Amino acid sequence: MDNYLNLIPIRNEKVELRKIEGKYYLMIPMESKLDFLARRLHGNYRRLELDEIGAYVWELCDGTRNVEEIGKLLKARFGEKVEPLYERLLTFLIQLQRRNLIRFR
């Protein structure tokens, strides 16, 4: 796990966080030609709902902090609510990476 703590997550610059009716969403552009039908039905973006913790993590993935620093900020803001801290944080970040929403440096 120590190797992961030094990684620096960087947001995909095409994806934007929006708060809509009190909920947080990642707005993911549908750019593939294969998304033609989905765009006709749902508009130009796929929406991925995040809770307050996920939205905060997204904001912190700006390319300036590593995973360990993000974890410390989460702990300071949310306390016990984020435990087990690094297991949950890494699981979330890896899911974002698999969807090409972030990359690691």
Side-chain angles (χ1 to χ4, degrees), residues 10 23 37 68 77 89-90 99:
I10 303 166
K23 294 184 179 183
L37 186 57
E68 184 174 14
R77 181 164 177 175
L89 177 56
L90 286 169
R99 294 175 180 219

Side-chain angles (χ1 to χ4, degrees), residues 4 7 9 57 67 86-102 104:
Y4 284 106
L7 292 175
V57 170
V67 172
Y86 289 105
E87 290 85 348
R88 289 180 66 188
L89 177 56
L90 286 169
T91 298
F92 179 65
L93 291 173
I94 290 168
Q95 289 299 317
L96 292 178
Q97 181 192 30
R98 286 185 180 150
R99 294 175 180 219
N100 296 314
L101 302 176
I102 65 166
F104 289 108

Side-chain angles (χ1 to χ4, degrees), residues 39-82:
R39 274 194 307 273
R40 300 255 336 214
L41 294 171
H42 305 291
N44 292 324
Y45 295 93
R46 246 184 214 103
R47 296 193 325 184
L48 177 64
E49 186 175 344
L50 299 178
D51 62 10
E52 182 183 7
I53 295 169
Y56 186 59
V57 170
W58 176 260
E59 290 294 321
L60 295 174
C61 293
D62 61 2
T64 65
R65 298 172 190 88
N66 67 25
V67 172
E68 184 174 14
E69 293 166 324
I70 291 171
K72 288 177 182 176
L73 291 168
L74 276 174
K75 182 74 172 172
R77 181 164 177 175
F78 296 103
E80 294 301 313
K81 192 174 175 183
V82 293

